[in-house]
Amino acid sequence: MRRKMHQVLRLSRKSVEMGLLLGGAALVALVSLGFAQMADLALRWNAAWIERSGWLAFILLPFGLAAIRWLTLRLAPNASGSGIPQVIGALSLPAGPSQYSLVSIKQTVWKIPLTFLGLLAGASIGREGPSVQVGAALMLAWGRFWKNRRLPLRGFHNNELIAAGAAGGLAAAFNAPLAGVIFAIEELGRGTALRWQRVVLIGVLASGFIVVALSGNNPYFGVFTGSTVANMVGWVLACGVVNGIVGGIFGRLLGKGPTVLVPARWRAAVRAHPVVTAFVLGLGVAALGALMGGATYGTGYGAAAQLLAGHELEQHGFGIAKVAATLASYWAGIPGGIFTPALTVGAGMGESIWRLMDGAVDQRVLVLISMAAFLAAATQAPLTASVVVMEMTGSQPMLFWLLLGSLTGSLVSRQFCPHAFYHLAAGRFRRQAIVEAGRAAQQASAPTGSSSP
């Protein structure tokens, strides 16, 4: 009887754990879905005012990026940039103030409105990286909330919660459940003490499937309608090499920061005045947008979807211009990711290869392969890049070629950027979090006053 009661209690505890895990996954999915709708609204508003008065970009972008940078420094310094490096940094730290600071719900929640403002101004950023950090913060806060209520959540370890929320955020943002699982294994699990329990995998899949249930199984870029062409291996390798070179340089420049643009004697001044730097970079993004007819503003989704459907862009050189706009936007230090901009850069590079080859093959094939190859080159995560593009375009029959292009792009990019950008940036956030936690501990232990003898 006692043994049977023990089994019942054990099953009851497991059921509670599973129910709370699914509740956290649902929370991540709903917030990611709401974030996606906000981002789409910002992009629509931006396109509307660009069409009416394109000159406004020279006011909104510099002043907007400067204001967002100032707000980020004041309200949420750990919410700057993509958000994926912060999650990777948190996973490599022990549970405690340092880890919590990188995925703090109080700071991370600011990423949603600040990314919205960046997209509204026209910055070349995406919402997927921010969705990863927001998802990690939500799931960690959810788990800690129930642990503080003394529920026996033995399987809810901090790293598993962070990984499940982060990858669930990516799966929900891209409407790509499988890509979220691959991202968790390939990117988040690289070099971190992450135990692959089913907590992570179930949480990721649940977030993705909840979004699919709510919004439908609609590929982000529509369904790919192209097919393989003659000499497919040669074309895929060509796309991989070209995108690997450009993506490797892109990743290296992302890590260098805006100081790479100025002489050595000016670099200290650039670092000391981040708001002014964001203003100048905003002018650069506005100028690029004006040259490209507004195509480089925002995520670039419209241009990529047009190219993937087999249509040409009026402006030549979209891919390189999008690289420059994304670098300037990221260097400004505002919240915003590089995932979707990297995909649109790849689409532009695929069109450029097609133009150089005088339209020898189906443009859609080169665009598709280049999207995966450039994302793989920029992140050095070829499996994630392949599966993300497959799910976002409904191109399952092309998966082998996406993998070949991604692996080639990733291999070539390492010759220019030996260290993966996300992990390089994660090291900086990790060191910063340790220093800040140590400073806070010293202040807490310091005497508040002195007494006279």
Side-chain angles (χ1 to χ4, degrees):
M1 183 69 179
R2 184 178 299 175
R3 181 178 179 183
K4 186 175 181 180
M5 182 61 68
H6 176 74
Q7 291 176 342
V8 169
L9 291 174
R10 183 173 177 271
L11 288 173
S12 177
R13 179 177 60 81
K14 291 292 184 182
S15 299
V16 170
E17 286 187 356
M18 184 59 65
L20 292 177
L21 175 63
L22 294 178
L27 180 63
V28 171
L30 291 173
V31 171
S32 297
L33 194 56
F35 190 10
Q37 292 174 347
M38 287 179 62
D40 291 343
L41 180 63
L43 292 172
R44 288 198 300 270
W45 285 353
N46 175 266
W49 63 253
I50 284 294
E51 186 177 355
R52 289 198 307 267
S53 306
W55 57 269
L56 280 175
F58 288 91
I59 298 175
L60 291 180
L61 269 166
F63 284 100
L65 296 196
I68 296 168
R69 179 57 173 158
W70 182 82
L71 287 170
T72 302
L73 290 170
R74 295 272 297 184
L75 301 173
N78 284 334
S80 64
S82 165
I84 295 176
Q86 290 93 315
V87 171
I88 295 173
L91 287 171
S92 63
L93 289 169
S98 298
Q99 183 183 67
Y100 298 144
S101 69
L102 293 180
V103 285
S104 162
I105 194 69
K106 292 181 179 179
Q107 287 203 38
T108 305
V109 72
W110 284 105
K111 211 166 185 93
I112 295 176
L114 293 176
T115 302
F116 172 83
L117 292 175
L119 289 170
L120 183 62
S124 179
I125 55 177
R127 59 174 169 80
E128 291 74 24
S131 295
V132 168
Q133 189 181 10
V134 170
L138 283 172
M139 188 68 90
L140 179 60
W142 176 263
R144 293 182 70 192
F145 174 82
W146 290 110
K147 282 183 179 180
N148 291 338
R149 300 303 181 274
R150 301 185 182 278
L151 287 179
L153 305 177
R154 298 176 186 174
F156 279 40
H157 301 285
N158 278 5
N159 275 17
E160 281 73 24
L161 289 169
I162 292 171
L170 182 79
F174 279 135
N175 201 2
L178 181 58
V181 172
I182 301 299
F183 172 75
I185 296 172
E186 182 181 35
E187 196 66 82
L188 300 182
R190 187 190 307 179
T192 60
L194 185 61
R195 299 186 305 169
W196 290 109
Q197 296 186 2
R198 31 174 216 167
V199 168
V200 178
L201 302 182
I202 293 175
V204 175
L205 290 173
S207 294
F209 288 138
I210 288 170
V211 169
V212 171
L214 293 175
S215 61
N217 188 20
N218 304 311
Y220 186 73
F221 285 108
V223 178
F224 176 70
T225 56
S227 59
T228 56
V229 297
N231 193 22
M232 191 69 183
V233 173
W235 288 111
V236 171
L237 292 177
C239 289
V241 170
V242 172
N243 284 280
I245 294 171
V246 179
I249 296 171
F250 173 72
R252 190 175 184 88
L253 290 175
L254 278 177
K256 292 287 186 182
T259 55
V260 74
L261 300 176
V262 299
R265 63 180 181 275
W266 294 355
R267 290 174 184 172
V270 170
R271 296 189 187 99
H273 299 90
V275 175
V276 175
T277 300
F279 183 92
V280 175
L281 291 168
L283 285 174
V285 176
L288 284 166
L291 288 172
M292 299 302 296
T296 56
Y297 294 139
T299 60
Y301 168 83
Q306 183 177 342
L307 292 173
L308 198 59
H311 306 298
E312 299 180 42
L313 295 180
E314 294 181 5
Q315 301 82 11
H316 293 192
F318 166 75
I320 297 299
K322 189 64 176 171
V323 165
T326 305
L327 284 171
S329 299
Y330 194 88
W331 285 343
I334 65 173
I338 64 167
F339 241 85
T340 308
L343 290 170
T344 57
V345 167
M349 296 304 300
E351 188 211 21
S352 295
I353 296 171
W354 177 77
R355 288 183 186 273
L356 287 173
M357 298 303 171
D358 201 25
V361 294
D362 189 347
Q363 171 189 307
R364 296 169 297 178
V365 173
L366 301 185
V367 168
L368 180 76
I369 300 301
S370 293
M371 289 171 70
F374 187 87
L375 181 60
T379 62
Q380 294 186 14
L383 295 179
T384 300
S386 304
V387 177
V388 161
V389 172
M390 178 197 74
E391 289 196 280
M392 292 178 74
T393 59
S395 56
Q396 287 81 356
M398 299 290 289
L399 180 57
F400 172 77
W401 303 112
L402 291 171
L403 280 168
L404 180 59
S406 297
L407 289 168
T408 304
S410 180
L411 180 63
V412 172
S413 76
R414 292 181 187 182
Q415 313 312 310
F416 299 86
C417 183
H419 304 290
F421 163 70
Y422 283 145
H423 291 264
L424 184 65
R428 296 171 184 165
F429 278 106
R430 181 171 57 248
R431 290 190 294 271
Q432 177 182 320
I434 293 172
V435 170
E436 290 176 352
R439 188 182 298 122
Q442 286 181 350
Q443 291 175 350
S445 62
T448 57
S450 59
S451 58
S452 57

